Amino acid sequence: MKYKLYIVFSNLSMQVRKNYASLIFVFLITFYVGWSQEYKFQHLTTVDGLSHNEVRKIVKDDRGFLWFGTQNGLNRFDGYRFKIFKNNPDDSTSIVGDKIFSLTTSKDKLWVGTISGLSVINTVTLEVIPIAKIKKVLGDSSILQLYYDGSNKVWVSTENENFIINTQTLEITSILKDFKIACITKGIDNKYWIGTDKGLLKYEFESSVIVKIYDVGRFNAYSLDKIFSNINGEIWITLSDRILLYQSERDRFIEMFESNSLNAICQNTEGDILFGSYGDGVTKYSRVTGEFKNLKANPENPLSISSDDVYDIYVDNENIIWIGTQEGLDYFDYSRHRFNSLVHLPEKENSLRSSFVQSLYQDEDGALWIGTREGIDLVEFDKGYTNPQVSHFKITESGFEALNNNHVTSIFKDSKNRLWISSMSNGLFLIDEKQKVFKNFKHEIGDSNSIASSSVRAILEDHLGRIWFGTGGGLSLLKETNEANFSFENFGYSKFNTNSLPLNDIYTLYQDSKHRIWIGMNKGGLSLLKENGQSKSFLRFNHNPTDLQSLSNDEVFVIYEDTKNRVWIGTSGAGLNLLMEDDGKENENRYYFKRYTEKEGLSDNEVNAILEDNNENLWIATNTGFSMFDVANESFTNFSTYDGVLKGKFRKNASWKTKEGIMFFGGAAGINFFDPENFLKEIYVPSPVFTDLLIDGKIIKPGHEYNGSIVIKNSLESGAVIDLPKKDNRFQIEFTSLTFASPIRNQYAYKLEGLDKDWTIISGSNPSARYSKLKPGNYRFLLKASNYDGNWNEKPIYLDIIVHGSIMENNIVKIGTVFLAPLVIFFGLLVFKKININSIPNENGSRDKKSIKHFDPKLNEENLIKVSELNALMETDKVYLDSEIGLSELADKIGVSANHLSMLLNDCIGKNFYDYINEYRVEEVKKRLKDPKYQKQTLSSIGGDCGFNSKSAFNRIFKNFTKKTPSQYQKMSQNS
């Protein structure tokens, strides 16, 4: 037998080559998968609210907020929103400059070095702290270096001088006058390592002694040279193009690596050291391998870093890596990238031949066989399922050509080491290397011994060694006369036999631990094979709309048994079913089903595959991602594209669990694979923080007047008091939990005591709470938070809310009114009687006195007229399309004051300005998403045309109103 093999054949395992060499597989290519980059980055830019894309410095304050220094302003980030600080020449309380060169933090303070001088911000009140004495010394010199040493000292360096500032007293003193300091770190022995223009100093602060000067080169603050120390006692240096490491045993520095313009150093929780460079991206030193690996920007990979020009790297306490680049802020959030993937990339050989994956099988050598819509791929991995190597192949054996580039539905190796491959339209293929048997079985019309259909979807070998095939034409049982002669016994639907299969369209077969064979059919429900000698019958289970314990749906594609011997049935459209048994009953009466659907927390009601992890959780692949089902607690945790799950729905039964516990799921977009152990719940419990208080969309600053009164006197922290006058009986609170791992998955529970009976639970990209039309009284706003794994802090933070009433709502006035009311009524009746007597008509039919003029509700009529004008303005002129329109501008258009308009919106319409105008914008977007003439326009463009001034605001507000993102709504509209 002749065969042709390419040189890359040698990359396959020996066992695979031995077993399948004679199949004449022509391997097209084997390669290392280049796209499986270790770090996958998300990006934040000016589109998301960042003040400028060139991010120079990154720090985190002691409260947990991240701060980013850019070339045009300072940014505080809470995980959802940016708060920007910029210089205002007319405001002495603003920061001194917008070009940020250095940052550091101490307790309750952020030290901001700009090219125009130094500013210090109180991180609690967010006010710029007056530092007159410091400014007198520093002037407007550029602040090139800032370092907080952890002992109430901030080291400050300008072009020509160095200083130490006491962080508590703000006293400033000069130090090391003969040196230009570029960078500093403090070692574990409390000695300082200081990079200067005259070399590296080892400095003893207490005795003011330079212990030693190391001649490693000149440090330059403008070159962003850095020194880094860690708890291991290591001292790392980036100096121009070199990475140096201190050898303590020989008291010297050795060169470890070279790169372009190195400038940043940090360490992750695994102990790896990350270096930034201007021109070469990020370099990682692996603690395990001792190797340096470069990560660079890749325009074809949206998950690579944005730019090779890196200024700063910061790793936070959650092991999230933040990178400041020339083109924006990048971050790697491990919690969003625990799902690995194998996909098809057009015009690239280093990918799957097709992203449409229908079947998975792992052989004894660990190689993964992948059945796609266009044939078979083979994937081998290095240790730990890393560095996947893919081989495409096709078979040149006569009769097997149909398998190449065909829709492969199942791959199975039986107990005789024979390989069975089924296809959607070209029948069943048998490869028996030992017996040199290669066969293709198809349905032959008129031949009752042929397989029931050429569309074969499922393969099962039972405990007796019999092999069953589920097809589009019924159930087939393999009959073997000898090793070379095969026939099939077929079972199908018969309208004359209620013990036959209910339908022929079979998609899944499963034998459970009790040796029962279950058959799942599309629209035929579930069947159980019953055998009595040679007689075979089928017990049917179908959906009954009037029986809640019947099967939830007749489209059964998935059957699975867990390690507790529970049998689960996945349906297409009605969720998950658990088979229940009543041992006191017989036959079909003993079986019933318990349902789990979206209502119980399942991510989607279409179940495509089920696997159980080593902690007895079920992983359920649906059309929207994965649901991890904690069976013991009957709770679901759902994962979507936000977490790294591939787009597109998963395929029926395209799943595999390895002996190491790694799970593979195939779908229309490729393969997701992951280790469930990486999803063990985080024990970190976040503490919520209030970020802003707003009234009618305006941020209320502590101690500042709003409408003539001070709403909040002190900083917005737990225990603060909010004083609301009667006319401002509404507010909005924005908050965060300062955990940056999957922040959109963080949940918040809030309640306003005195109004709410239950807690309101929310999540999303803009966590906040709104209240309006509050009655006079005392309230307490309570807030709790959880991380993405659902770990809640039990002790809520709070704000006390006081809503003042008018004089008529005073209790003393109310009591007085009760006593005065009878007197008022009495005298009113006397007056009324007198008026009526005096107004009796005279003989000429005229009245001697005019009748009483009743109350004229002119003012109310005027308000209603103004409301009508307002609505007409919105519906006819569509002023909401103007993204710059505000409360005052809208008030001018209907000829009222801003306060008057605010009253009309709240009292007559029941909305604040932002809800009112954004509702019109959302409705306009919905109309355009349904209108064919806007189909070629991007979602962002439509949002901008409808008045939303940023992509993030558009997505957040649209979801708040519709409970769907714009893209989800668009898909729903297109499908309806």
Side-chain angles (χ1 to χ4, degrees), residues 559-576:
I559 306 170
Y560 185 82
E561 184 179 30
D562 64 23
T563 53
K564 297 284 188 181
N565 304 129
R566 294 170 294 209
V567 176
W568 303 86
I569 295 94
T571 70
S572 180
L576 182 68

Side-chain angles (χ1 to χ4, degrees), residues 915-931:
D915 285 346
Y916 176 73
I917 204 161
N918 283 330
E919 186 173 19
Y920 276 96
R921 288 170 176 164
V922 169
E923 288 303 315
E924 183 68 24
V925 170
K926 289 163 67 176
K927 290 177 185 177
R928 296 191 184 193
L929 291 179
K930 295 178 181 178
D931 193 333

Side-chain angles (χ1 to χ4, degrees), residues 40 81 89 169 182 205 224 247 429 450 548 654 695 758 797 952:
K40 300 173 183 177
R81 298 161 290 245
T169 66
F205 179 81
L224 305 180
Q247 275 189 329
F429 297 84
S450 68
L548 295 179
I695 297 178
D758 300 315
I797 60 174
S952 59

Side-chain angles (χ1 to χ4, degrees), residues 744-758:
I744 290 180
R745 290 204 173 279
N746 296 338
Q747 289 186 304
Y748 301 87
Y750 67 83
K751 178 169 65 171
L752 188 61
E753 285 187 344
L755 180 67
D756 296 332
K757 292 183 179 179
D758 300 315

Side-chain angles (χ1 to χ4, degrees), residues 400-428:
F400 274 60
E401 297 89 345
L403 185 59
N404 301 319
N405 302 316
N406 200 263
H407 190 160
V408 176
T409 57
S410 188
I411 303 171
F412 176 78
K413 183 179 284 188
D414 66 20
S415 56
K416 296 179 181 179
N417 214 32
R418 299 177 299 187
L419 189 67
W420 298 86
I421 302 172
S422 63
S423 71
M424 186 58 76
S425 58
N426 281 291
L428 176 70

Side-chain angles (χ1 to χ4, degrees), residues 905-954:
L905 289 170
N906 281 278
D907 294 344
C908 299
I909 297 177
K911 296 183 177 72
N912 64 35
F913 168 75
Y914 289 94
D915 285 346
Y916 176 73
I917 204 161
N918 283 330
E919 186 173 19
Y920 276 96
R921 288 170 176 164
V922 169
E923 288 303 315
E924 183 68 24
V925 170
K926 289 163 67 176
K927 290 177 185 177
R928 296 191 184 193
L929 291 179
K930 295 178 181 178
D931 193 333
K933 72 180 182 181
Y934 293 100
Q935 284 183 353
K936 294 184 178 180
Q937 196 171 349
T938 65
L939 287 173
S940 297
S941 176
I942 291 174
D945 290 348
C946 292
F948 294 101
N949 57 15
S950 74
K951 181 180 177 181
S952 59
F954 171 39

Side-chain angles (χ1 to χ4, degrees), residues 7 88 130 138 288 329 439 518 522 566 689 759 782 897 920:
I7 187 68
N88 181 352
L138 297 178
V288 176
L329 181 69
K439 284 187 174 292
W518 300 90
N522 182 18
R566 294 170 294 209
V689 176
W759 291 87
L782 301 172
S897 69
Y920 276 96

